[in-house]
Amino acid sequence: MLTALDIPFCRGYGKSMSGPTTEHIKNSVYTLRTQKGLTQEELAEKAGVTRQTVIAIEKGNYTPSVLLALKIASIFKAQVEDVFRISYGK
């Protein structure tokens, strides 16, 4: 079972010349949703998006806007940083 998903995007070159630095947005939407007992449809309705958007976020195929990330965190009664995190790596 996945608890966090990675969404890679290139951030350019860091201070070293060893290659590009990649940042990933990780999220715990699936874990929090299932812990709260919500279906994807229910979360989508509460957040004002489609079920397909929730699926894409959970799979890591879509990074939500700041507004949507705040709405989702609010639904889970969590800080946005507890739902969405930045991971740094190459």
Side-chain angles (χ1 to χ4, degrees):
M1 177 169 69
L2 297 174
T3 59
L5 301 172
D6 291 321
I7 305 168
F9 59 96
C10 186
R11 187 62 163 178
Y13 284 88
K15 294 187 190 252
S16 72
M17 296 303 289
S18 60
T21 302
T22 304
E23 295 173 321
H24 302 273
I25 303 295
K26 292 186 173 188
N27 77 72
S28 300
V29 173
Y30 173 82
T31 301
L32 293 168
R33 178 181 62 77
T34 55
Q35 285 175 352
K36 195 165 177 82
L38 293 173
T39 65
Q40 290 172 333
E41 186 67 39
E42 291 168 332
L43 176 58
E45 186 176 314
K46 289 176 181 285
V49 297
T50 65
R51 186 176 69 84
Q52 288 77 15
T53 299
V54 171
I55 291 168
I57 292 169
E58 289 183 352
K59 287 184 174 182
N61 296 332
Y62 178 72
T63 301
S65 67
V66 173
L67 179 59
L68 180 53
L70 289 167
K71 283 182 183 180
I72 291 170
S74 176
I75 291 164
F76 296 134
K77 295 181 176 34
Q79 297 292 316
V80 72
E81 297 88 353
D82 296 331
V83 181
F84 299 95
R85 296 167 302 288
I86 299 173
S87 175
Y88 301 94
K90 291 186 181 179

